Amino acid sequence: MGIKCGIVGLPNVGKSTLFNALTAAEIPADNYPFCTIDPNIGIVSVPDSRLEAIAEIVKPGRVVPSVIEFVDVAGLVAGASRGEGLGNRFLAHVRETDAIVHLVRCFENDDVTHVSGRIDPIGDIELIETELLLADLQTVETSLLKAERNAKTNDKHDVAHRDLLRTVRDALAAGQPLRDLASSAPEREMLRELHLITAKPVMYIANVAEHELHGNALAELVIEYAHQHGAQTVVVSAAIEAELAQLSTEEAAEFLAELGLAEPGLHRVIRAAYRLLALSTFYTTGAKEVRAWTLPRGATAFEAAGAIHTDFQRGFIRAEVVACDSFVRYGGEHGAREAGELRLEGKSYVVRESDVIRFRFNV
Protein backbone atom coordinates (compact mmCIF):
# COMPACT_ATOMS: atom_id res chain seq x y z
CA MET A 1 0.00 0.00 0.00
CA GLY A 2 1.20 3.52 -0.70
CA ILE A 3 1.67 5.89 2.24
CA LYS A 4 1.39 9.62 1.76
CA CYS A 5 2.09 12.22 4.46
CA GLY A 6 1.39 15.92 4.04
CA ILE A 7 3.79 18.38 5.70
CA VAL A 8 1.96 21.47 7.01
CA GLY A 9 2.93 24.49 9.07
CA LEU A 10 3.27 28.24 8.99
CA PRO A 11 5.68 29.90 6.56
CA ASN A 12 9.35 29.90 7.58
CA VAL A 13 9.14 27.06 10.11
CA GLY A 14 11.57 24.89 8.12
CA LYS A 15 9.21 22.79 6.02
CA SER A 16 11.20 22.98 2.79
CA THR A 17 14.43 22.38 4.69
CA LEU A 18 12.91 19.28 6.27
CA PHE A 19 11.58 18.12 2.91
CA ASN A 20 15.03 18.59 1.37
CA ALA A 21 16.48 16.39 4.08
CA LEU A 22 13.77 13.75 3.80
CA THR A 23 14.16 13.39 0.08
CA ALA A 24 17.73 14.64 -0.43
CA ALA A 25 16.13 16.98 -2.98
CA GLU A 26 17.14 20.52 -3.78
CA ILE A 27 13.94 22.48 -3.22
CA PRO A 28 14.30 26.23 -2.65
CA ALA A 29 13.99 27.06 1.06
CA ASP A 30 13.91 30.83 0.75
CA ASN A 31 12.96 32.99 3.69
CA TYR A 32 9.64 34.36 2.51
CA PRO A 33 6.04 33.14 2.55
CA PHE A 34 4.62 31.02 -0.28
CA CYS A 35 7.98 30.17 -1.84
CA THR A 36 6.49 26.70 -2.42
CA ILE A 37 3.60 27.37 -4.80
CA ASP A 38 3.07 23.89 -6.19
CA PRO A 39 3.50 20.94 -3.84
CA ASN A 40 6.88 19.25 -3.73
CA ILE A 41 6.51 15.49 -3.73
CA GLY A 42 9.27 13.12 -2.68
CA ILE A 43 9.44 9.35 -2.33
CA VAL A 44 11.52 8.23 0.65
CA SER A 45 12.87 4.72 1.25
CA VAL A 46 12.12 3.38 4.72
CA PRO A 47 15.36 2.58 6.59
CA ASP A 48 15.17 -1.12 7.44
CA SER A 49 18.05 -3.09 8.98
CA ARG A 50 15.98 -6.29 8.85
CA LEU A 51 15.61 -6.00 5.09
CA GLU A 52 19.37 -5.53 4.81
CA ALA A 53 20.01 -8.64 6.95
CA ILE A 54 17.65 -10.75 4.82
CA ALA A 55 19.25 -9.49 1.61
CA GLU A 56 22.72 -10.31 2.94
CA ILE A 57 21.63 -13.95 3.24
CA VAL A 58 19.60 -14.27 0.02
CA LYS A 59 21.85 -12.07 -2.16
CA PRO A 60 19.06 -11.27 -4.64
CA GLY A 61 19.25 -9.40 -7.91
CA ARG A 62 17.70 -6.35 -6.25
CA VAL A 63 16.45 -5.14 -2.88
CA VAL A 64 13.21 -3.13 -2.73
CA PRO A 65 12.43 -1.25 0.51
CA SER A 66 9.08 0.13 1.58
CA VAL A 67 8.56 3.80 0.75
CA ILE A 68 6.70 6.83 2.08
CA GLU A 69 5.59 9.73 -0.07
CA PHE A 70 5.93 13.18 1.48
CA VAL A 71 4.02 16.18 0.14
CA ASP A 72 5.32 19.62 1.07
CA VAL A 73 2.90 22.51 0.50
CA ALA A 74 3.45 26.21 1.04
CA GLY A 75 3.12 27.62 4.54
CA LEU A 76 -0.46 28.19 5.66
CA VAL A 77 -1.54 31.48 7.21
CA ALA A 78 -4.56 32.85 9.01
CA GLY A 79 -7.41 32.89 6.51
CA ALA A 80 -6.05 29.94 4.49
CA SER A 81 -9.46 28.25 4.65
CA ARG A 82 -10.89 31.31 2.86
CA GLY A 83 -8.11 31.34 0.27
CA GLU A 84 -5.61 33.67 1.95
CA GLY A 85 -2.11 32.98 0.63
CA LEU A 86 -3.60 30.61 -1.96
CA GLY A 87 -4.78 28.57 1.04
CA ASN A 88 -7.56 26.63 -0.68
CA ARG A 89 -5.18 25.49 -3.37
CA PHE A 90 -2.66 24.29 -0.78
CA LEU A 91 -5.29 22.58 1.38
CA ALA A 92 -6.52 20.59 -1.62
CA HIS A 93 -3.14 18.85 -1.78
CA VAL A 94 -3.29 18.00 1.93
CA ARG A 95 -6.70 16.36 1.51
CA GLU A 96 -5.17 13.60 -0.62
CA THR A 97 -2.74 12.44 2.09
CA ASP A 98 -3.09 9.67 4.69
CA ALA A 99 -1.60 11.59 7.61
CA ILE A 100 -0.55 15.09 8.62
CA VAL A 101 3.01 15.95 9.62
CA HIS A 102 2.71 19.31 11.40
CA LEU A 103 6.07 21.06 11.60
CA VAL A 104 6.32 23.58 14.43
CA ARG A 105 9.02 26.22 14.84
CA CYS A 106 10.84 25.88 18.16
CA PHE A 107 13.96 27.89 17.41
CA GLU A 108 14.98 31.54 17.67
CA ASN A 109 16.70 33.08 14.65
CA ASP A 110 16.59 36.78 13.87
CA ASP A 111 17.52 36.05 10.25
CA VAL A 112 14.41 33.89 9.68
CA THR A 113 11.27 35.99 9.94
CA HIS A 114 8.30 34.55 11.81
CA VAL A 115 5.06 35.33 10.01
CA SER A 116 3.46 36.51 13.29
CA GLY A 117 6.52 38.31 14.58
CA ARG A 118 6.96 36.06 17.65
CA ILE A 119 7.94 32.48 18.50
CA ASP A 120 4.87 30.77 19.98
CA PRO A 121 4.64 27.06 19.04
CA ILE A 122 1.28 26.40 20.70
CA GLY A 123 -0.24 29.50 19.14
CA ASP A 124 1.13 28.38 15.78
CA ILE A 125 -0.38 24.90 16.19
CA GLU A 126 -3.76 26.33 17.13
CA LEU A 127 -3.73 28.74 14.19
CA ILE A 128 -3.09 25.92 11.70
CA GLU A 129 -5.60 23.63 13.44
CA THR A 130 -8.25 26.36 13.24
CA GLU A 131 -7.70 26.81 9.51
CA LEU A 132 -7.98 23.05 8.94
CA LEU A 133 -11.16 22.94 11.03
CA LEU A 134 -12.69 25.81 9.05
CA ALA A 135 -11.75 24.19 5.75
CA ASP A 136 -13.44 20.95 6.81
CA LEU A 137 -16.47 22.88 8.08
CA GLN A 138 -16.94 24.49 4.65
CA THR A 139 -16.72 21.08 2.96
CA VAL A 140 -19.22 19.51 5.36
CA GLU A 141 -21.70 22.39 5.14
CA THR A 142 -21.66 22.16 1.34
CA SER A 143 -22.29 18.41 1.48
CA LEU A 144 -24.99 18.84 4.13
CA LEU A 145 -27.07 21.05 1.83
CA LYS A 146 -27.33 18.19 -0.64
CA ALA A 147 -27.84 15.61 2.11
CA GLU A 148 -30.74 17.61 3.57
CA ARG A 149 -32.50 17.51 0.19
CA ASN A 150 -31.87 13.80 -0.31
CA ALA A 151 -33.13 12.93 3.18
CA LYS A 152 -36.59 14.28 2.33
CA THR A 153 -37.30 10.92 0.65
CA ASN A 154 -36.92 9.26 4.08
CA ASP A 155 -34.52 6.71 2.64
CA LYS A 156 -32.70 5.17 5.63
CA HIS A 157 -29.25 5.61 4.12
CA ASP A 158 -29.91 9.24 3.14
CA VAL A 159 -31.30 10.06 6.57
CA ALA A 160 -28.32 8.45 8.29
CA HIS A 161 -25.95 10.38 6.01
CA ARG A 162 -27.67 13.67 6.82
CA ASP A 163 -27.63 12.98 10.56
CA LEU A 164 -23.96 12.08 10.45
CA LEU A 165 -23.08 15.28 8.60
CA ARG A 166 -25.04 17.29 11.17
CA THR A 167 -23.03 15.67 13.97
CA VAL A 168 -19.77 16.32 12.15
CA ARG A 169 -20.72 19.93 11.41
CA ASP A 170 -21.53 20.58 15.08
CA ALA A 171 -18.24 19.02 16.21
CA LEU A 172 -16.21 21.13 13.80
CA ALA A 173 -18.11 24.28 14.74
CA ALA A 174 -17.24 23.55 18.38
CA GLY A 175 -13.55 23.29 17.48
CA GLN A 176 -13.30 19.50 17.70
CA PRO A 177 -11.09 17.84 15.06
CA LEU A 178 -12.73 14.80 13.55
CA ARG A 179 -9.90 12.48 14.57
CA ASP A 180 -11.21 12.97 18.14
CA LEU A 181 -14.80 12.15 17.18
CA ALA A 182 -15.81 8.55 17.86
CA SER A 183 -17.38 6.98 14.78
CA SER A 184 -18.27 3.55 13.48
CA ALA A 185 -16.73 1.89 10.43
CA PRO A 186 -19.85 2.57 8.29
CA GLU A 187 -19.77 6.23 9.33
CA ARG A 188 -16.10 6.54 8.45
CA GLU A 189 -16.85 5.00 5.07
CA MET A 190 -19.62 7.57 4.48
CA LEU A 191 -17.19 10.40 5.20
CA ARG A 192 -14.28 8.98 3.23
CA GLU A 193 -15.20 10.66 -0.05
CA LEU A 194 -15.05 14.10 1.61
CA HIS A 195 -11.31 13.72 2.36
CA LEU A 196 -11.68 15.70 5.59
CA ILE A 197 -8.31 16.94 6.82
CA THR A 198 -8.95 16.88 10.57
CA ALA A 199 -10.02 13.24 10.35
CA LYS A 200 -6.43 12.31 9.46
CA PRO A 201 -3.99 11.30 12.19
CA VAL A 202 -1.43 13.98 13.02
CA MET A 203 2.18 13.95 14.16
CA TYR A 204 4.01 17.04 15.40
CA ILE A 205 7.65 17.70 14.57
CA ALA A 206 9.33 20.24 16.81
CA ASN A 207 12.04 21.92 14.71
CA VAL A 208 14.80 23.09 17.04
CA ALA A 209 18.15 24.81 16.57
CA GLU A 210 21.24 22.68 15.95
CA HIS A 211 22.49 23.09 19.53
CA GLU A 212 19.12 22.50 21.20
CA LEU A 213 18.22 18.90 20.36
CA HIS A 214 17.85 18.23 24.08
CA GLY A 215 16.21 20.39 26.71
CA ASN A 216 14.47 22.81 24.36
CA ALA A 217 11.71 24.46 26.41
CA LEU A 218 9.60 25.28 23.33
CA ALA A 219 9.77 21.69 22.13
CA GLU A 220 8.63 20.54 25.58
CA LEU A 221 5.49 22.64 25.13
CA VAL A 222 4.77 20.87 21.84
CA ILE A 223 5.36 17.46 23.43
CA GLU A 224 2.92 18.27 26.24
CA TYR A 225 0.32 19.61 23.81
CA ALA A 226 0.60 16.49 21.65
CA HIS A 227 0.30 14.25 24.71
CA GLN A 228 -2.90 16.01 25.77
CA HIS A 229 -4.35 15.41 22.29
CA GLY A 230 -3.21 11.80 21.93
CA ALA A 231 -0.65 12.66 19.24
CA GLN A 232 3.05 11.95 18.79
CA THR A 233 5.98 14.37 18.70
CA VAL A 234 9.42 13.99 17.17
CA VAL A 235 12.10 16.57 17.98
CA VAL A 236 14.52 17.24 15.11
CA SER A 237 16.79 19.95 13.84
CA ALA A 238 15.89 20.33 10.17
CA ALA A 239 19.18 22.17 9.64
CA ILE A 240 21.16 19.16 10.93
CA GLU A 241 19.08 16.73 8.89
CA ALA A 242 19.62 18.79 5.73
CA GLU A 243 23.36 18.75 6.34
CA LEU A 244 23.36 14.98 6.94
CA ALA A 245 21.53 14.45 3.65
CA GLN A 246 24.45 15.97 1.78
CA LEU A 247 27.09 13.73 3.39
CA SER A 248 28.31 10.28 2.42
CA THR A 249 27.31 7.36 4.65
CA GLU A 250 30.69 7.40 6.38
CA GLU A 251 30.71 11.17 6.85
CA ALA A 252 27.14 11.13 8.18
CA ALA A 253 28.06 8.44 10.72
CA GLU A 254 31.00 10.53 11.94
CA PHE A 255 28.85 13.66 12.16
CA LEU A 256 26.17 11.82 14.16
CA ALA A 257 28.83 10.46 16.52
CA GLU A 258 30.16 13.97 17.09
CA LEU A 259 26.63 15.09 17.98
CA GLY A 260 26.12 12.09 20.26
CA LEU A 261 23.23 10.79 18.15
CA ALA A 262 22.56 7.13 17.34
CA GLU A 263 20.65 7.83 14.13
CA PRO A 264 19.27 10.67 12.00
CA GLY A 265 16.10 12.27 13.32
CA LEU A 266 14.42 11.47 10.02
CA HIS A 267 14.56 7.75 10.84
CA ARG A 268 12.50 8.57 13.94
CA VAL A 269 10.06 10.57 11.81
CA ILE A 270 9.50 7.61 9.49
CA ARG A 271 9.04 5.15 12.37
CA ALA A 272 6.59 7.55 14.00
CA ALA A 273 4.63 7.71 10.73
CA TYR A 274 4.32 3.91 10.78
CA ARG A 275 3.06 3.99 14.36
CA LEU A 276 0.72 6.85 13.54
CA LEU A 277 -0.92 4.89 10.72
CA ALA A 278 -0.77 1.55 12.57
CA LEU A 279 1.29 -0.10 9.84
CA SER A 280 3.40 -3.23 9.84
CA THR A 281 6.02 -4.69 7.51
CA PHE A 282 6.45 -8.16 6.02
CA TYR A 283 9.03 -9.49 3.57
CA THR A 284 9.17 -11.69 0.50
CA THR A 285 12.36 -13.31 -0.75
CA GLY A 286 13.65 -14.82 -3.97
CA ALA A 287 16.71 -14.98 -6.17
CA LYS A 288 15.48 -12.02 -8.21
CA GLU A 289 14.19 -9.82 -5.42
CA VAL A 290 13.98 -9.31 -1.68
CA ARG A 291 11.23 -6.85 -0.86
CA ALA A 292 9.56 -5.12 2.10
CA TRP A 293 5.80 -4.68 2.00
CA THR A 294 3.61 -2.41 4.11
CA LEU A 295 0.23 -3.48 5.49
CA PRO A 296 -2.26 -2.15 8.04
CA ARG A 297 -1.58 -3.76 11.40
CA GLY A 298 -3.89 -6.77 11.83
CA ALA A 299 -4.11 -7.61 8.10
CA THR A 300 -4.45 -11.28 7.13
CA ALA A 301 -2.28 -13.46 4.92
CA PHE A 302 -5.04 -13.26 2.29
CA GLU A 303 -4.83 -9.45 2.33
CA ALA A 304 -1.03 -9.59 2.25
CA ALA A 305 -1.18 -11.80 -0.84
CA GLY A 306 -3.45 -9.24 -2.52
CA ALA A 307 -0.99 -6.45 -1.71
CA ILE A 308 1.54 -8.26 -3.90
CA HIS A 309 -0.73 -9.27 -6.78
CA THR A 310 -4.38 -10.12 -7.30
CA ASP A 311 -3.29 -13.49 -8.75
CA PHE A 312 -1.68 -14.36 -5.41
CA GLN A 313 -4.96 -13.61 -3.66
CA ARG A 314 -7.24 -15.22 -6.22
CA GLY A 315 -5.34 -18.52 -6.23
CA PHE A 316 -4.25 -18.49 -2.58
CA ILE A 317 -3.35 -21.95 -1.27
CA ARG A 318 -1.23 -21.25 1.81
CA ALA A 319 1.44 -18.99 3.24
CA GLU A 320 4.80 -20.33 4.39
CA VAL A 321 5.82 -18.06 7.24
CA VAL A 322 8.98 -17.60 9.30
CA ALA A 323 9.84 -14.77 11.69
CA CYS A 324 12.61 -12.50 10.42
CA ASP A 325 14.80 -13.20 13.47
CA SER A 326 14.60 -16.95 12.80
CA PHE A 327 15.20 -16.45 9.08
CA VAL A 328 18.42 -14.59 9.87
CA ARG A 329 19.48 -16.85 12.76
CA TYR A 330 19.24 -20.02 10.66
CA GLY A 331 20.70 -18.58 7.49
CA GLY A 332 17.55 -18.39 5.38
CA GLU A 333 14.39 -20.29 4.54
CA HIS A 334 16.00 -23.75 4.28
CA GLY A 335 17.73 -23.46 7.64
CA ALA A 336 14.56 -22.15 9.30
CA ARG A 337 12.58 -25.05 7.84
CA GLU A 338 15.14 -27.56 9.14
CA ALA A 339 14.95 -25.95 12.59
CA GLY A 340 11.15 -26.24 12.62
CA GLU A 341 10.69 -22.47 12.57
CA LEU A 342 8.72 -22.31 9.30
CA ARG A 343 4.94 -22.55 9.63
CA LEU A 344 2.13 -23.17 7.16
CA GLU A 345 -0.70 -20.66 7.54
CA GLY A 346 -4.08 -20.16 5.87
CA LYS A 347 -6.00 -17.15 4.61
CA SER A 348 -7.11 -15.96 8.03
CA TYR A 349 -3.63 -15.87 9.55
CA VAL A 350 -2.90 -12.40 10.97
CA VAL A 351 0.45 -11.23 9.63
CA ARG A 352 2.96 -10.36 12.34
CA GLU A 353 5.51 -7.58 12.22
CA SER A 354 8.63 -8.67 10.25
CA ASP A 355 7.21 -12.00 9.00
CA VAL A 356 9.03 -13.45 5.99
CA ILE A 357 6.36 -15.02 3.78
CA ARG A 358 6.33 -17.22 0.70
CA PHE A 359 2.89 -17.53 -0.87
CA ARG A 360 1.74 -20.70 -2.61
CA PHE A 361 -1.04 -20.15 -5.11
CA ASN A 362 -2.73 -21.57 -8.19
CA VAL A 363 -2.35 -19.53 -11.37
Side-chain angles (χ1 to χ4, degrees), residues 291-334:
R291 183 164 186 160
W293 302 85
T294 301
L295 278 178
R297 199 177 301 152
T300 64
F302 186 67
E303 292 168 322
I308 298 173
H309 199 286
T310 53
D311 287 348
F312 281 37
Q313 192 173 59
R314 188 180 303 111
F316 186 101
I317 299 174
R318 66 178 182 272
E320 299 178 356
V321 183
V322 58
C324 179
D325 287 347
S326 296
F327 186 97
V328 174
R329 182 182 305 118
Y330 295 108
E333 183 179 302
H334 178 74

Side-chain angles (χ1 to χ4, degrees), residues 338-358:
E338 291 294 314
E341 293 291 325
L342 189 143
R343 312 184 308 277
L344 301 181
E345 302 287 357
K347 292 181 178 180
S348 61
Y349 169 72
V350 176
V351 176
R352 299 173 185 171
E353 174 66 28
S354 79
D355 274 347
V356 181
I357 307 178
R358 181 183 296 275

Side-chain angles (χ1 to χ4, degrees), residues 104-358:
V104 187
R105 178 171 173 172
C106 295
F107 64 88
E108 301 276 358
N109 187 332
D110 293 339
D111 294 330
V112 180
T113 305
H114 190 289
V115 69
S116 300
R118 80 286 181 270
I119 308 300
D120 177 11
I122 303 307
D124 293 351
I125 290 173
E126 291 175 343
L127 189 156
I128 294 293
E129 190 69 29
T130 296
E131 292 304 320
L132 300 182
L133 283 163
L134 290 172
D136 278 355
L137 183 58
Q138 289 181 10
T139 299
V140 170
E141 287 179 335
T142 300
S143 296
L144 183 56
L145 291 174
K146 180 179 178 181
E148 295 276 12
R149 293 194 298 270
N150 292 342
K152 291 178 180 179
T153 64
N154 288 324
D155 176 85
K156 288 184 178 179
H157 179 272
D158 290 338
V159 170
H161 188 213
R162 178 204 62 194
D163 292 346
L164 174 60
L165 289 178
R166 285 177 175 175
T167 299
V168 168
R169 176 201 59 193
D170 293 346
L172 290 168
Q176 182 181 13
L178 299 184
R179 69 181 70 92
D180 296 341
L181 185 66
S183 59
S184 64
E187 288 174 336
R188 289 193 294 272
E189 189 59 35
M190 274 194 239
L191 293 173
R192 190 182 305 278
E193 65 180 22
L194 296 181
H195 300 289
L196 298 172
I197 303 171
T198 65
K200 303 178 190 298
V202 64
M203 165 176 55
Y204 297 100
I205 297 183
N207 184 17
V208 301
E210 298 179 41
H211 59 283
E212 292 185 331
L213 279 171
H214 305 288
N216 181 292
L218 296 175
E220 291 298 325
L221 293 175
V222 177
I223 293 170
E224 178 58 26
Y225 178 93
H227 178 72
Q228 292 174 0
H229 292 80
Q232 300 181 51
T233 307
V234 180
V235 179
V236 303
S237 168
I240 288 177
E241 301 303 323
E243 186 171 349
L244 283 169
Q246 304 304 315
L247 300 177
S248 68
T249 302
E250 294 76 15
E251 291 171 333
E254 291 178 6
F255 186 37
L256 286 170
E258 291 173 5
L259 294 171
L261 300 175
E263 63 178 351
L266 300 181
H267 288 196
R268 291 184 285 114
V269 170
I270 291 172
R271 285 202 303 274
Y274 266 64
R275 292 194 300 270
L276 186 68
L277 292 167
L279 302 174
S280 63
T281 302
F282 75 95
Y283 306 95
T284 55
T285 65
K288 292 184 178 180
E289 176 183 281
V290 166
R291 183 164 186 160
W293 302 85
T294 301
L295 278 178
R297 199 177 301 152
T300 64
F302 186 67
E303 292 168 322
I308 298 173
H309 199 286
T310 53
D311 287 348
F312 281 37
Q313 192 173 59
R314 188 180 303 111
F316 186 101
I317 299 174
R318 66 178 182 272
E320 299 178 356
V321 183
V322 58
C324 179
D325 287 347
S326 296
F327 186 97
V328 174
R329 182 182 305 118
Y330 295 108
E333 183 179 302
H334 178 74
R337 188 189 304 273
E338 291 294 314
E341 293 291 325
L342 189 143
R343 312 184 308 277
L344 301 181
E345 302 287 357
K347 292 181 178 180
S348 61
Y349 169 72
V350 176
V351 176
R352 299 173 185 171
E353 174 66 28
S354 79
D355 274 347
V356 181
I357 307 178
R358 181 183 296 275

